[in-house]
Amino acid sequence: MESSASSTPTGTQMSAEIAEQPAAARRTLERLMPQRESLRELAQGRRRVLLAARGSSDNAAIYGRYLLEVVAEVPTALAAPSVATHYQANLDLSDTVVVSVSQSGSTAEIVQTQQWARACGAATVAITNVDGSPLAQSADVALVTQAGPEVAVPATKTYLTQMVALGVLADALSSGEALAGDLDQVPDAVSRLLQVDVAAAAEALAVADQVVVSGRGLLLGTALETALKMEETCLRPVRGYSYADLRHGPISVVSEGLLAVLVAAAHGPLAEPMADLVRDLHARGARVLGIGGTPTFAELCDLHLPGPDLSEAVEPIASIVPAQLMIEQMARRLGLDPDNPRGLSKVTQTEFAG
């Protein structure tokens, strides 16, 4: 079920920052696209990329990994920061570009990981929302997103602009301008999705006994970010799974009372398998709330929120928007303050070895 009715303004800081995302995406593209040549020069002669991040930034990095491998055809992996901060391994990273992703640019573990990478011979790129932060100052190239100050604890506009930055990086490292035209369409797509009516979806989540979230391929990071935001904002245990992981074991516990949130692509080789997953979940008694996907996928879902009309490569940047709106409303339905989730602060300081 879809609606184009505008969501009611709520007055929360989180909802205000969600609404700022079209402008934040435009500013970020204007700031970062001219840096593509510097990125190309930095990556010259280097064969792979390593992404270092935690929390929401790690979910953005998962998107970046798929994007860099699928579009730019550069071998890419996610770093384990403890290899640097605890084990202090001596690796040869002379053929590697290490990309450190941190909204604040001050997360000590990620700053130290970037310093370690440089000492191991890597070229370094920082993606952060704070110009002059330790991460930005010590990187070879700093991609400073233009989200503006983010007051609500749950990351929304900083997360989305991180994905924009990763899109610019992938475009820079690919042959030609593989993503430039697609990236230009993102701000308008985000603006359209702000009008999605998420009330029924928020109510279904608020009363659900159990919730799992799943996605696949380029949309996996969006699915995991949806699960994380639901946990930290709504204080509910929510498992985020890749399509493959869900199918290889956890699906055996799917039963009546479970609500599965599936984030799907409208295009590409992984679009149709998500419709098959809906059928499987229904056969096991679950209800399905879908975001995006093909017309067949939408028709099969019990509840459905539209995704963006974008190419698969940049679709995940905007696909998070209906989920953000839905989670903000879910938190309020549960009597919670989405701006200040219990036990969380804006900058996460992971314990690390000095």
Side-chain angles (χ1 to χ4, degrees), residues 37 40 58 60 96 110 129 151 185 244 271:
E37 188 55 41
R40 293 185 188 107
D58 198 41
T96 305
I110 303 304
N129 192 51
V151 177
Q185 298 177 44

Side-chain angles (χ1 to χ4, degrees), residues 81-266:
S82 59
V83 169
T85 60
H86 280 78
Y87 293 101
Q88 299 176 6
N90 185 20
L91 303 183
D92 180 1
L93 299 180
S94 58
D95 68 343
T96 305
V97 176
V98 171
V99 181
S100 301
V101 190
S102 167
Q103 293 145 14
S104 68
S106 298
T107 300
E109 184 184 32
I110 303 304
V111 172
Q112 185 177 351
T113 298
Q114 180 174 266
Q115 294 168 345
W116 164 84
R118 180 189 289 277
C120 290
T124 58
V125 175
I127 295 178
T128 178
N129 192 51
V130 182
D131 202 359
S133 63
L135 202 69
Q137 287 184 324
S138 59
D140 293 312
V141 175
L143 300 179
V144 180
T145 57
Q146 302 297 301
E150 188 172 61
V151 177
V153 171
T156 54
K157 59 180 181 174
T158 53
Y159 173 78
L160 186 140
T161 52
Q162 283 178 339
M163 291 195 289
V164 171
L166 287 162
V168 172
L169 175 65
D171 185 64
L173 301 190
S174 62
S175 56
E177 295 190 349
L179 290 175
D182 292 339
L183 287 167
D184 284 343
Q185 298 177 44
V186 167
D188 286 343
V190 171
S191 183
R192 288 191 292 270
L193 288 173
L194 292 175
Q195 306 306 311
V196 173
D197 184 351
V198 299
E203 177 64 23
L205 285 166
V207 301
D209 295 330
Q210 292 179 285
V211 178
V212 298
V213 186
S214 185
R216 195 173 189 189
L218 284 153
L219 271 297
L220 174 59
T222 303
L224 297 179
E225 175 65 6
T226 299
L228 176 62
K229 279 291 168 290
M230 214 176 296
E231 284 197 320
E232 68 182 15
T233 307
C234 300
L235 309 181
R236 292 283 184 87
V238 179
R239 292 300 302 270
Y241 294 101
S242 73
Y243 171 99
D245 288 341
L246 180 59
R247 272 278 169 85
H248 282 88
I251 201 166
S252 64
V253 301
V254 172
S255 60
E256 291 185 12
L258 182 137
L259 178 61
V261 180
L262 303 185
V263 184

Side-chain angles (χ1 to χ4, degrees), residues 267-333:
H267 311 285
L270 302 181
E272 288 305 325
M274 292 300 289
D276 293 334
L277 181 57
V278 178
R279 297 184 183 98
D280 196 355
L281 291 166
H282 278 160
R284 296 169 184 269
R287 299 180 72 218
V288 176
L289 164 57
I291 300 175
T294 65
T296 299
F297 172 84
E299 184 66 26
L300 288 169
C301 291
D302 300 284
L303 292 163
H304 181 259
L305 301 177
D309 183 16
L310 294 169
S311 72
E312 184 189 14
V314 299
E315 188 177 2
I317 302 176
S319 289
I320 192 60
V321 174
Q324 293 169 339
L325 294 168
M326 171 182 77
I327 291 164
E328 189 272 346
Q329 284 200 25
M330 176 186 174
R332 290 187 293 103
R333 287 172 184 270

